[in-house]
Every structure is written in C-alpha cells, then in structure tokens.
Amino acid sequence: MEENRKTIIALKKAHGHLGRVIEMATNQEYCIDILQQNLAVMGLLKVANARIFEGHLNSCSAAAMRGTNEKRKKEMIEEILEINRLSK
C-alpha cells in the first residue's frame, strides 16, 4: 500500500513538472531551463516505472511462478523480457 502511494506521488509530481515544461516551451524560455525541468519529469517517471515494475514482480509474476501452468509461466517471462527491452 505504501509503495502504491509513493508511486502515485511520483506520477503526480511528474504531471506537475510536465505542465511547467509545456508552459516554459510555450513561452520560449531558456532551452537549458526547459531541459532541466524535462529531465526532472523523466526522473520521476523512471522512479514510478521502477516501483510499478517491482510491484508486478512481487505480485503477478510471483503468483504465476508459484503456479503449475507452464504456459502462463513462459508468458510471464516473455512479458518481463519485453518490458525490459522497451525500457532501454
């Protein structure tokens, strides 16, 4: 529950920062300032993504691996590998 709350906080912070980035770009503010704010958004999204992924591994993936359905286990592994590929 606490991890979910922290994830939501990170996502809300990213949302707020993104609004500021859009505003800065619209107002044609200094590029480096925009880039710094954009990096802050990306960092917050990375934190949220890592928390969501960890939650998935500890719940959905763990349950599938404890089960007896070999097809589901293989699908879960493929799903995790695909997310890993997409995150690079």
Side-chain angles (χ1 to χ4, degrees), residues 45-71:
L45 290 174
K46 282 184 179 183
V47 166
N49 196 59
R51 290 183 186 282
I52 293 166
F53 187 54
E54 182 179 350
H56 178 70
L57 290 175
N58 287 321
S59 60
C60 302
S61 295
M65 292 304 141
R66 285 190 301 268
T68 59
N69 185 334
E70 294 302 317
K71 181 180 179 199

Side-chain angles (χ1 to χ4, degrees), residues 69-84:
N69 185 334
E70 294 302 317
K71 181 180 179 199
R72 182 64 188 130
K73 288 179 183 182
K74 185 175 180 172
E75 289 171 350
M76 187 61 65
I77 291 168
E78 287 301 318
E79 194 176 74
I80 291 167
L81 291 173
E82 179 62 18
I83 285 293
N84 185 55

Side-chain angles (χ1 to χ4, degrees), residues 6-22 37-49:
K6 289 179 180 180
T7 300
I8 291 169
I9 289 170
L11 289 169
K12 286 182 177 183
K13 284 182 180 181
H15 183 263
H17 278 288
L18 183 57
R20 178 69 180 124
V21 170
I22 292 168
Q37 285 297 312
N38 199 50
L39 286 170
V41 172
M42 292 166 54
L44 288 163
L45 290 174
K46 282 184 179 183
V47 166
N49 196 59

